[in-house]
Structure formats: C-alpha cells, structure tokens
Amino acid sequence: MTEPTPGIHHVTCIASDPQENIDFWVETLGLRLVKRSINQDDDGTYHFFFADAEGTPGTSMTFFPWEDISQGKVGSGQVSRTAFRVPEGSLDYWEDRFDDYGVEYDDRIERFGETVLPFRDPDGLPIELVAVEIPDDDPTVPWTEFVPESAAIRGFHSVTLWLADPEQTEDLLDTMGFERVGTESSPGDTPGDERTRFAAEGPVGKYVDVLPTIEGGRQGHGTVHHVAFQTPTDDHQMEMRNAVRSLGLRPTQQIDRHWFRSVYFREFGGVLFELATSGPGYTSDEPLSELGERLVLPGSFGDRRDEIESQLTPVTVPRAEQADADD
C-alpha cells in the first residue's frame, strides 16, 4: 500500500518584476517571505517562498521572477487556479483591502458549498480565496504583520487542473491517495463544463479540482510552473515514486532542494507534478525569527555569492512600520 499524500506541499509560479512580486504577496496578501533564494536550475533568477509564519508544509506559494520572458496564458495542461483558505466571514475584509490596493477581483461564487473570491496578482495569475472554518488544532500559523489573524491566509485550499482528457489523471490522483468527492457545474472557468473534486486526508491543501478543456495555453508570466504534493518522508516519497512509475509515468530520481527533497514528473495531461518531503524545512539554515531576511545560497552556490548577487535585481521586503509611516 502506498502512503497517501496529505495534500499540496507548495505551488511554484512565474512572475515578472521581483519587487512587485514581493510587495504584492507580502504587503497586499499578508504572507511571510520565509525564504529568499535562487532558482537552483537557473542561478541568475530569484526563488521567493511566501508562506505562513513558520513555513508550514501546505502554505508555500513560490515564484521564479523571470523578467525577460513573455506573458503566459492559462490553458490545458496547466494548473489554472490556485486557491487559499481564509477564515469564514473574512471575504468582506478582503474585498475592502483589494479596493484599497487596486486589486482587480471578480464576483464571489459558490462552489461545493463554499464561498470563493477570485482575483489576480499583478502578473495576471488567477488566484482564489475560499472562506472556510479554521479548526482550533489547525497546523498553520497566521502571519499578522499586515493582515489580522481574523482574515489571514491559512495555507492552500486547492488547485484546479485544466486537462484535455482527465480520465488518466483522475486515476493518478486515486493512486496518490485522493478520493473523488463530487462533481458540479463550474461557471466562470470553462462554461458548460463540470468540475470534479478530489480530496486528500490532510487538513491543508487537501483538494484538487479537475476541469476538462482544450483551451490552448502557454507558460509565462502569470502561470503556474508546477504543483508539489506532500510525501512527508523519504520512504513515503519512494513508495509514491514507485506507484507513479507503475502507471507508466517517468518520475525523476530524488533531487535535493535543500529545504526538502523532490521528485518530478509530468502527469498524463502535461501538468508538472512534484513530490516533496516535509524536511529539513525552512528553519534548517535560518532562525525562525530571521526567515527571508537575507539571500540564502544553498550548498556550493554559496561559494559564488558575489557573482550570483551581481546578476540579481536588488529587492526590499515591505515592513508594516514603514507602510504606516508612508501613509
């Protein structure tokens, strides 16, 4: 038996301007920059990790700010939407905040008995806030420098996959430990199509929604690069890797990403999936109180700090006290 995934570990997206990206995700949305590093496959590009106060698995939205590529377009074979949990009753707060910060958002919609607020980040990335009851024993820790605890984002709710032919991907999700929980019409996505929801067992990032569409897309600014699922230990990851491989997919060997260990593969519809361990975690190389304060260069990259820093656009992290002074 393969140990089922608890749910989403992180989602990695493509941005354009690194400072604009930090300003939006830290100040506007109130997430914490828990790691400021580089793309380990392209060391002239930042890799930013935004999460809850402690970088809990299931809360990390990460970005590669590739400044020189073109605008993307969401289409088949991509994660079309990434949704975050917020406390019930907080959507009025978020609409007021979006009005104050000039964020474009759409009308609320009801989906599987929950209220959803769709909006986009400065690069046009489709995002959603979903109002849910946050239990007392929830593993996430709200970051409250810019947004009060009563409204703070509490990790992932779900990702939506747009797929030309979902059947094999649905079988894959079953193999990974997701259970089909229902199907309903999905206005505002691909009109006339139905959304099928799958649920994992964990409390955070537990849902994957699947929508059939042949809408063409291209990767670029404002699109998701990949979605990672939790395989908490190396043993769990190896079991899942073997299970995925048995379906005819071609997962990579384990790759050390410093804060977690990863296996990558493209699922049947073309979406890049990752399996990620829970550890060592973001505090393995920085104290909790100092997460995101400096550029962290893992492993041998540290020997090239001067060279790497010279290729990166300088950025600053928003501070609440400075924002108050500016007002």
Side-chain angles (χ1 to χ4, degrees):
M1 293 291 292
T2 301
E3 186 74 18
T5 177
I8 299 165
H9 183 279
H10 66 269
V11 177
T12 296
C13 311
I14 301 173
S16 53
D17 181 84
Q19 185 63 62
E20 186 177 50
N21 182 247
I22 287 181
D23 289 345
F24 182 82
W25 286 88
V26 172
E27 183 172 355
T28 305
L29 293 189
L31 293 179
R32 185 181 187 186
L33 179 65
V34 295
K35 196 62 60 179
R36 186 190 324 187
S37 190
I38 55 168
N39 182 333
Q40 295 175 41
D41 300 318
D42 177 12
D43 58 33
T45 302
Y46 280 115
H47 193 177
F48 297 142
F49 297 72
F50 305 102
D52 72 351
E54 297 185 1
T56 306
T59 70
S60 300
M61 188 74 158
T62 93
F63 286 87
F64 301 140
W66 274 313
E67 300 180 69
D68 297 330
I69 67 172
S70 61
Q71 181 69 30
K73 181 179 182 293
V74 175
S76 181
Q78 294 185 26
V79 173
S80 65
R81 280 156 176 75
T82 304
F84 294 93
R85 304 183 310 154
V86 294
E88 285 184 335
S90 67
L91 293 183
D92 286 344
Y93 168 90
W94 281 106
E95 288 184 348
D96 289 343
R97 187 169 185 82
F98 289 166
D99 288 337
D100 290 343
Y101 279 84
V103 178
E104 294 186 4
Y105 59 92
D106 298 328
D107 293 337
R108 300 180 195 182
I109 58 176
E110 296 295 316
R111 186 185 296 151
F112 292 104
E114 298 171 326
T115 305
V116 180
L117 177 62
F119 65 104
R120 293 176 182 268
D121 83 346
D123 287 299
L125 180 73
I127 318 161
E128 298 171 335
L129 299 179
V130 184
V132 302
E133 181 180 356
I134 306 296
D136 292 339
D137 61 351
D138 194 81
T140 64
V141 183
W143 181 243
T144 58
E145 183 165 357
F146 285 98
V147 173
E149 182 174 350
S150 60
I153 289 173
R154 302 295 292 270
F156 292 111
H157 175 274
S158 59
V159 291
T160 298
L161 310 181
W162 278 7
L163 303 169
D165 184 358
E167 184 175 355
Q168 285 184 294
T169 301
E170 292 176 354
D171 290 341
L172 168 65
L173 292 172
D174 178 69
T175 297
M176 293 173 64
F178 288 88
E179 293 188 2
R180 185 190 298 256
V181 297
T183 299
E184 65 175 37
S185 61
S186 190
D189 290 311
T190 50
D193 284 334
E194 291 191 326
R195 172 186 292 265
T196 303
R197 173 158 290 179
F198 295 81
E201 297 180 350
V204 185
K206 67 183 297 180
Y207 297 117
V208 173
D209 290 358
V210 174
L211 272 165
T213 180
I214 57 172
E215 178 81 17
R218 61 180 178 275
Q219 196 166 79
H221 300 154
T223 61
V224 172
H225 186 271
H226 65 270
V227 54
F229 297 95
Q230 297 182 50
T231 47
T233 70
D234 290 327
D235 288 343
H236 293 158
Q237 188 181 79
M238 185 55 66
E239 290 175 1
M240 189 70 74
R241 180 183 182 276
N242 290 339
V244 166
R245 192 175 180 186
S246 73
L247 297 178
L249 295 168
R250 301 180 63 183
T252 65
Q253 296 295 324
Q254 187 184 75
I255 300 172
D256 186 357
R257 293 305 192 191
H258 194 64
W259 307 288
F260 41 83
R261 291 173 292 279
S262 302
V263 169
Y264 301 87
F265 62 95
R266 289 202 179 273
E267 56 79 42
F268 296 102
V271 183
L272 182 58
F273 277 14
E274 176 184 346
L275 309 176
T277 61
S278 297
Y282 300 125
T283 57
S284 61
D285 54 9
E286 292 182 294
L288 179 61
S289 62
E290 299 177 13
L291 291 179
E293 296 295 322
R294 63 187 181 92
L295 179 69
V296 175
L297 299 177
S300 61
F301 292 108
D303 299 333
R304 299 171 46 228
R305 178 170 290 273
D306 290 345
E307 173 196 347
I308 290 172
E309 287 186 337
S310 70
Q311 303 176 77
L312 300 172
T313 303
V315 294
T316 58
V317 182
R319 304 295 180 197
E321 60 270 20
Q322 182 60 51
D324 292 340
D326 292 343
D327 290 342

